[in-house]
Every structure is written in structure tokens, then in C-alpha cells.
Amino acid sequence: MRTRTLTVALVTAIALAAAGCGGSSGGSGDKAGNDKADAVSEAERPYVDALAKSMTEPVDDDEIVMSDKSAACVAPLFVRIIGVEKLKDNGITPEAFADDDSMDYSKLKITEKDGNALYDTFGQCDVDFRKAMVESFAADEEMTPAMAKCMESVLTDDNLRELIVTTMVKGEDAVEDSPLMGQMMGCAFLGLGEDE
């Protein structure tokens, strides 16, 4: 089935953002977003603005997007963890940083610790990333109810973290070769060949 599509959906799930990133924000997320926006430096601002915009504006109809408040909370944290200096040293412009299709976080040589910190920004901003991913799969017209249910069982909080962090630290190839991706592909093949 759509191995590449599933991988991209997972990754940009992080705005790291390929399929974008959706979820709800509120309470502490809103406050965090405001606090972080106030703390954004002049050097960070172009990267933060470009990333936040990409998180809220889907390129494709089936992409998950964040609310403005969620993106305003997550984007500054992402930029702060990675660091503007590292982005510039690698020749990454704000536009390239926000490009869902071309941005490869693994080329930044971020550590596993940083990868987990990036993933943690979703929880810090009250974004239920797993719920958004599960709902996205369930809404996919190519997914049967059995496939979606299987995906939900595989995408536990720990497994989703492992997939996203691995993608950011080691790249998409590492994810495609992982046992978890194999389980997801097994879900994607459920029911194929059966009469609808």
C-alpha cells in the first residue's frame, strides 16, 4: 500500500511537519504559546513565523493542521530546541525549514535527547498528536474500519514517539525499516482483496 505516504504522514506529523500536525489547544497551551511568542528573538522570528504558518495551512486536503494557538506554541519551542545557528550553519532558510516536502531533520544531526524534546513540545502545548493521527487514518477513504482500528492499536503513545523521534534523528529510511512500520503496513493490507 502507501508506504511512502504513511511514513511522510508520521514524520510531518511533527511539522516536523509533513502531513502537518493537528490537535487541540487550550488552557496552558494558549499561555505557553503567548509566553514563547514574547520570548522569540529577532533571529528566531522568521523561522518561527514560517513554521507556524506551515502548521496551520494544509497543502493537501487530507493533511492534519494545527490551530493558530497550537502552532504559536509549538513553533517557537521547535526553533529554540534546534537552534537558529544550527539551521543557518546547514544553509536552511526559514522557507526551507517550513517546507513539509523537503525538510529532513536528520540532516541537522540532532541528538535523540533533542528529538524527544521536540516531540514533547506537542504535550507541552496541549496538542494530542496521537488522537489527531488516529482520526486522520480513520477519515482516510482508503482505510477500512478494520485497518483504522489496527492502526490505532499499533500507534500507542510510546510507538508514535519512537517513530517520530527516529525519523527526526536517523531519517525516513530508518523508519521504513523499523518493525513498527512493518506492523503499520500489516494494518494497511488488512481486508485487501475482500469484496466491499
Side-chain angles (χ1 to χ4, degrees):
M1 207 156 167
R2 305 176 305 169
T3 307
R4 180 72 174 176
T5 301
L6 289 174
T7 302
V8 171
L10 285 169
V11 182
T12 54
I14 279 197
L16 282 177
C21 195
S24 58
S25 64
S28 62
D30 295 348
K31 183 178 187 302
N34 292 333
D35 289 347
K36 294 304 175 186
D38 292 341
V40 172
S41 70
E42 183 177 345
E44 292 170 336
R45 175 56 63 192
Y47 289 93
V48 170
D49 289 348
L51 185 58
K53 182 178 181 182
S54 74
M55 290 175 171
T56 59
E57 297 182 358
V59 175
D60 299 319
D61 292 340
D62 60 348
E63 284 187 4
I64 310 167
V65 296
M66 286 187 184
S67 69
D68 289 342
K69 289 181 178 179
S70 294
C73 178
V74 172
L77 294 172
F78 254 65
V79 174
R80 187 79 31 75
I81 291 167
I82 294 172
V84 170
E85 185 174 344
K86 179 175 284 188
L87 291 168
K88 289 184 176 180
D89 286 348
N90 283 274
I92 298 174
T93 65
E95 293 73 25
F97 184 55
D99 189 334
D100 296 347
D101 294 326
S102 65
M103 182 59 198
D104 182 353
Y105 283 76
S106 67
K107 290 182 178 179
L108 294 173
K109 295 183 172 28
I110 61 175
T111 65
E112 187 168 339
K113 179 180 178 181
D114 286 342
N116 277 288
L118 288 167
Y119 186 83
D120 286 340
T121 62
F122 295 109
Q124 293 169 21
C125 294
D126 294 338
V127 175
D128 191 336
F129 188 59
R130 178 179 178 274
K131 178 181 178 182
M133 290 297 296
V134 168
E135 290 178 347
S136 176
F137 284 130
D140 190 327
E141 293 180 358
E142 295 184 31
M143 286 273 184
T144 67
M147 291 176 186
K149 187 175 180 65
C150 180
M151 286 288 191
E152 183 175 3
S153 69
V154 172
L155 281 181
T156 63
D157 290 328
D158 288 342
N159 285 349
L160 183 56
R161 173 186 288 274
E162 180 179 336
L163 288 169
I164 296 300
V165 173
T166 298
T167 300
M168 288 189 286
V169 176
K170 299 180 180 179
E172 290 182 20
D173 289 345
V175 172
E176 290 178 3
D177 295 336
S178 73
L180 286 175
M181 184 57 74
Q183 292 178 47
M184 291 182 65
M185 292 311 300
C187 293
F189 280 107
L190 275 180
L192 289 184
E194 294 181 1
D195 293 333
E196 295 184 359

